[in-house]
């Protein structure tokens, strides 16, 4: 396990690092998740193994520190990741981001282009989400922060179910709430608009059963490659490891 201070107060981002060749690969998890849990099997898969791989937990989540005074906007998350990459002596990294991690990866590439050489977005958030009771960022964002800290977190635990909650429970309450709110609000311009404007190889993996993502033609016209993965839901790398590894491998090295 490695770590780097990423705030003025010295709060630490931590990651599990697998040795290998460079360019390095950075794996970013989704809301309430943890990269070592969600990506360990993928990073070790024969199709993807052999690269220096950082399975990083975003500030506020998993094994990283959980400061209550951090804003947890997508921009702040991206800047914290950038500080960790810089501390690790890395640039030109291949970034694989799932869900919220994909949204942060887009912002990272926009704000720190020297750090990112390639993006693989795994069913990532690109647009604002309307808050409403239920699982995910929309449900968390339907509370005020006071409501969430006073009891809404327990309600979210019931919505999340035992698998998601196993990692979500590790998140700082403020981190989980504020990250969900800012993910639901999206960036200005939105992550979709930022993605369209990036000048680097970009691939968007999505479950085949869901059909193509919204705005597929516009994404394609901007050079974003779309790849459908069969036999999976939102957690593509967990539901169909071989399918994910095959699609990600093509996105990363073209073979």
């Amino acid at each position: 396990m490695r770590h780097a201070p990423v705030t003025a107060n010295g709060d630490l981002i931590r990651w599990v690092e697998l040795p290998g060749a460079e360019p390095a690969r950075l794996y970013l998890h989704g809301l309430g998740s943890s990269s070592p849990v969600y990506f360990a099997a993928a990073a070790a898969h024969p199709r993807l193994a052999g690269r220096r791989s950082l399975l990083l937990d975003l500030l506020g989540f998993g094994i990283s520190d959980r400061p209550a005074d951090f804003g947890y906007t997508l921009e702040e998350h991206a800047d914290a990741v950038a500080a960790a990459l810089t501390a690790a002596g890395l640039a030109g990294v291949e970034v694989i981001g799932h869900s919220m991690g994909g949204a942060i990866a887009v912002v990272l590439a926009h704000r720190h282009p020297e750090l990112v050489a390639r993006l693989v977005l795994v069913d990532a958030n690109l647009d604002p989400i309307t808050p409403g009771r239920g699982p995910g960022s929309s449900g968390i964002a339907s509370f005020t922060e006071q409501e969430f800290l006073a009891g809404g977190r327990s309600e979210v635990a019931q919505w999340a179910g035992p698998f998601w909650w196993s990692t979500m429970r590790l998140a700082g309450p403020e981190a989980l709430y504020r990250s969900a709110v800012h993910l639901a609000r999206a960036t200005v311009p939105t992550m979709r608009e930022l993605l369209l404007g990036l000048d680097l190889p970009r691939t968007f993996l999505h479950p085949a059963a869901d059909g193509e993502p919204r705005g597929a033609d516009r994404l394609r016209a901007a050079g974003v490659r779309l790849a459908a993965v069969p036999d999976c839901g939102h957690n593509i790398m967990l539901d169909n490891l071989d399918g994910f590894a095959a699609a990600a491998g093509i996105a990363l090295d073209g073979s």
Side-chain angles (χ1 to χ4, degrees), residues 97 119-124 126 195 202-217 219-220 223-237 240 242-252 254-255:
L119 284 180
V120 179
L121 307 179
V122 187
D123 212 20
L126 299 180
L195 177 63
R202 297 147 294 162
T203 300
F204 191 102
L205 307 187
H206 64 93
D210 290 353
E212 291 195 329
R214 189 178 77 82
D217 289 343
L219 290 169
R220 235 187 245 104
V224 180
R225 181 176 172 275
L226 304 181
V229 181
D231 304 321
C232 66
H234 180 56
N235 294 326
I236 298 175
M237 60 285 188
N240 183 353
D242 289 339
F244 171 80
I250 292 170
L252 290 165
S255 63

Side-chain angles (χ1 to χ4, degrees), residues 175-219:
L176 181 59
Y177 177 78
R178 294 172 195 165
S179 296
V181 167
H182 290 296
L183 180 62
R185 288 177 182 166
T187 53
V188 180
T190 65
M191 296 83 76
R192 178 179 298 274
E193 296 301 321
L194 297 179
L195 177 63
L196 293 171
L198 292 175
D199 183 22
L200 76 170
R202 297 147 294 162
T203 300
F204 191 102
L205 307 187
H206 64 93
D210 290 353
E212 291 195 329
R214 189 178 77 82
D217 289 343
R218 191 173 175 219
L219 290 169

Side-chain angles (χ1 to χ4, degrees), residues 143-175:
F143 297 95
T144 66
E145 183 164 342
Q146 183 178 8
E147 290 170 343
F148 182 76
L149 298 179
R153 183 172 176 272
S154 297
E155 190 172 346
V156 168
Q158 298 303 311
W159 298 340
F163 181 83
W164 196 5
W165 185 247
S166 68
T167 55
M168 188 182 289
R169 66 188 175 84
L170 304 176
E174 296 87 0

Side-chain angles (χ1 to χ4, degrees), residues 14-242:
R14 297 181 178 88
W15 64 90
V16 172
E17 184 166 327
L18 306 179
E22 296 193 8
R25 290 176 180 163
L26 171 69
Y27 291 84
L28 296 178
H29 62 82
L31 181 71
S33 302
S34 168
S35 289
V37 175
Y38 276 65
F39 280 117
H45 190 281
R47 183 64 183 81
L48 299 175
R51 289 291 189 87
R52 182 181 178 187
S53 297
L54 285 69
L55 282 63
L56 182 145
D57 278 348
L58 297 164
L59 199 64
F61 295 89
I63 57 176
S64 291
D65 285 352
R66 300 180 287 276
D69 59 351
F70 191 70
Y72 297 103
T73 65
L74 298 184
E75 294 87 349
E76 287 170 313
H77 273 304
D79 289 349
V81 172
L85 290 175
T86 300
L90 291 172
V93 172
E94 299 172 343
V95 184
I96 301 95
H98 175 235
S99 197
M100 182 182 77
I104 291 168
V106 171
V107 179
L108 174 68
H110 172 72
R111 292 171 71 87
H112 304 277
E114 73 285 357
L115 296 179
V116 181
R118 187 180 298 265
L119 284 180
V120 179
L121 307 179
V122 187
D123 212 20
N125 300 72
L126 299 180
D127 304 300
I129 302 166
T130 302
R133 288 295 201 259
S137 58
S138 62
I140 295 171
S142 69
F143 297 95
T144 66
E145 183 164 342
Q146 183 178 8
E147 290 170 343
F148 182 76
L149 298 179
R153 183 172 176 272
S154 297
E155 190 172 346
V156 168
Q158 298 303 311
W159 298 340
F163 181 83
W164 196 5
W165 185 247
S166 68
T167 55
M168 188 182 289
R169 66 188 175 84
L170 304 176
E174 296 87 0
L176 181 59
Y177 177 78
R178 294 172 195 165
S179 296
V181 167
H182 290 296
L183 180 62
R185 288 177 182 166
T187 53
V188 180
T190 65
M191 296 83 76
R192 178 179 298 274
E193 296 301 321
L194 297 179
L195 177 63
L196 293 171
L198 292 175
D199 183 22
L200 76 170
R202 297 147 294 162
T203 300
F204 191 102
L205 307 187
H206 64 93
D210 290 353
E212 291 195 329
R214 189 178 77 82
D217 289 343
R218 191 173 175 219
L219 290 169
R220 235 187 245 104
V224 180
R225 181 176 172 275
L226 304 181
V229 181
D231 304 321
C232 66
H234 180 56
N235 294 326
I236 298 175
M237 60 285 188
L238 299 177
D239 297 339
N240 183 353
L241 175 59
D242 289 339

